[in-house]
Amino acid sequence: MVDVYLPLPYTPKAINKEPCVLFKLGSTSLSLELGQEFELTSTVNICKNIYFTVMVIGFDNGIVLVQVSGDIFEQAKKSFFSSHSQEDYRPLSEQEYYSLYPEELKLIPGRVIVY
């Protein structure tokens, strides 16, 4: 099984922290490729036992990074900030975001980053 994470377009204000904010959506046993879309059953509280489509935008240290549609993104962001102070994070600029996730720009050109 591999864990599936959604990158959120925020970064901690504290300099000594990892610049990526990742939200775990679930796990899968599928063999995945960059750009592949697949159905994920979330195992986290925001949308437990709900199927939704995700697209693989990258791989990092044994985890899969994906992009999702609006409702799931909004629920993930809300859940993340319910346990983390939003004052401790700042939005990433478009340039910062795509420097962290360059494959996404190639896979979804013209995507507007929503905060």
Side-chain angles (χ1 to χ4, degrees):
M1 293 291 271
V2 63
D3 290 332
V4 178
Y5 284 83
L6 170 67
L8 298 176
Y10 297 91
T11 191
K13 289 180 180 175
I15 294 172
N16 61 343
K17 294 206 173 195
E18 188 71 26
C20 302
V21 174
L22 302 175
F23 185 84
K24 185 176 180 181
L25 291 176
S27 300
T28 186
S29 59
L30 296 173
S31 178
L32 300 170
E33 297 178 10
L34 196 61
Q36 180 179 348
E37 291 186 0
F38 68 99
E39 294 287 321
L40 179 66
T41 304
S42 182
T43 55
V44 294
N45 290 334
I46 61 161
C47 46
K48 199 167 193 163
N49 298 323
I50 294 176
Y51 285 98
F52 51 92
T53 302
V54 298
M55 176 191 275
V56 177
I57 61 161
F59 301 93
D60 186 33
N61 295 320
I63 64 171
V64 177
L65 303 175
V66 299
Q67 200 46 259
V68 298
S69 64
D71 286 350
I72 300 301
F73 172 81
E74 288 301 323
Q75 291 175 31
K77 184 174 82 169
K78 183 177 179 181
S79 181
F80 178 81
F81 285 122
S82 72
S83 59
H84 298 84
S85 173
Q86 195 160 359
E87 294 174 3
D88 293 339
Y89 295 84
R90 67 170 179 79
L92 289 167
S93 70
E94 193 170 301
Q95 182 178 2
E96 289 172 314
Y97 182 85
Y98 287 127
S99 71
L100 292 170
Y101 314 108
E103 294 88 357
E104 184 174 352
L105 182 60
K106 296 173 193 166
L107 293 167
I108 313 172
R111 177 179 175 267
V112 175
I113 298 173
V114 179
Y115 299 97

